[in-house]
Amino acid sequence: MAIEIPTDLTPELVPLSWLIGVWEGSGKLGEGEADDEHFWQQVTFRDTGLPYLEYRSESWLTDAEGTRLRPLAVESGFWSLDRKQEAADPGPGMTPGDPFPVLRSADDVERLRTEDGFKIQASINHPGGLSELYYGVINGPRIQLATEALLRSENSKPYASSTRIYGLVGGDLFWRWDVSQGDSDLKAHASAALKRVGQTEPGQAGEDGNQE
């Protein structure tokens, strides 16, 4: 399936461009066995006009037929190429950057490519006093992420590390999330298959989707 790249996209987001949009679908907790619980999810990747994508995920527990039972989880954060921040970049806080992006052309971006693909980072925040920083690699329509650091409040639940993988297969977004709570190795936590149901424009959040 061809990947359509917005013409006004910041050059360094081109490797991540296939994620942009609103995705919806169903999944299962744990290993995805017959008796594992079902969930429904909406994921939005939005171009902010800056050199990162805004990420948001909302999910609900469902029955086997897909009827929503109750809210399950909310995540939010930012995804970008992993590179050193320059004086021309915006931030920290509301410090404005230069009017032109640091990486201005495909050639500039291509210089960041490694043998395994482009290095990326993702910061993901959760309710309950937990924030994750992932490092990983994007290689075409495939992403691998692993936690580099965790920030936990003193009252948060145990959580030690995690990995996530994403892949675009036949136009659908498949993902898997493995988690360690500190007393064991990584274990299957959740997985899902999502379909793109809409696009997002820079500066606009994705519209809430309705489950069919």
Side-chain angles (χ1 to χ4, degrees):
M1 178 179 179
I3 298 173
E4 186 174 338
I5 300 173
T7 56
D8 57 350
L9 192 66
T10 302
E12 67 184 274
L13 291 183
V14 170
L16 295 158
S17 62
W18 57 269
L19 290 167
I20 296 173
V22 182
W23 304 81
E24 294 179 357
S26 59
K28 298 194 76 174
L29 300 180
E31 290 283 1
E33 300 293 340
D35 57 349
D36 288 333
E37 292 184 284
H38 298 257
F39 67 90
W40 185 85
Q41 182 185 38
Q42 181 186 79
V43 171
T44 301
F45 287 94
R46 184 175 69 94
D47 171 22
T48 64
L50 295 169
Y52 49 76
L53 294 182
E54 184 178 10
Y55 163 81
R56 181 174 176 83
S57 167
E58 296 184 59
S59 53
W60 294 260
L61 279 175
T62 71
D63 59 21
E65 285 69 43
T67 301
R68 296 186 206 179
L69 304 176
R70 63 181 186 274
L72 176 61
V74 176
E75 299 178 329
S76 63
F78 299 95
W79 295 40
S80 65
L81 294 187
D82 178 29
R83 64 166 177 82
K84 182 179 179 181
Q85 294 290 288
E86 306 291 347
D89 284 303
M94 296 180 69
T95 305
D98 285 357
F100 301 103
V102 172
L103 304 183
R104 302 185 185 184
S105 69
D107 289 340
D108 290 341
V109 176
E110 190 62 26
R111 294 187 186 100
L112 298 180
R113 187 189 293 273
T114 70
E115 291 183 357
D116 299 321
F118 292 97
K119 294 181 179 180
I120 63 172
Q121 66 178 28
S123 60
I124 298 179
N125 301 313
H126 307 256
L130 175 66
S131 296
E132 303 171 287
L133 174 63
Y134 287 90
Y135 285 154
V137 174
I138 182 168
N139 190 353
R142 298 184 301 277
I143 296 173
Q144 293 181 305
L145 295 170
T147 46
E148 173 69 16
L150 295 171
L151 178 63
R152 292 172 47 209
S153 71
E154 62 179 349
N155 295 318
S156 66
K157 291 184 176 181
Y159 192 100
S161 62
S162 71
T163 60
R164 302 189 189 212
I165 59 173
Y166 296 79
L168 191 65
V169 181
D172 294 343
L173 180 62
F174 288 77
W175 65 261
R176 175 185 168 113
W177 183 9
D178 291 355
V179 169
S180 169
Q181 294 182 322
D183 55 354
S184 64
D185 294 333
L186 291 166
K187 294 181 178 179
H189 183 66
S191 60
L194 311 178
K195 292 185 177 297
R196 194 195 308 269
V197 297
Q199 295 289 343
T200 58
E201 296 295 333
Q204 296 180 358
E207 297 179 357
D208 290 338
N210 294 317
Q211 184 182 15
E212 296 181 356

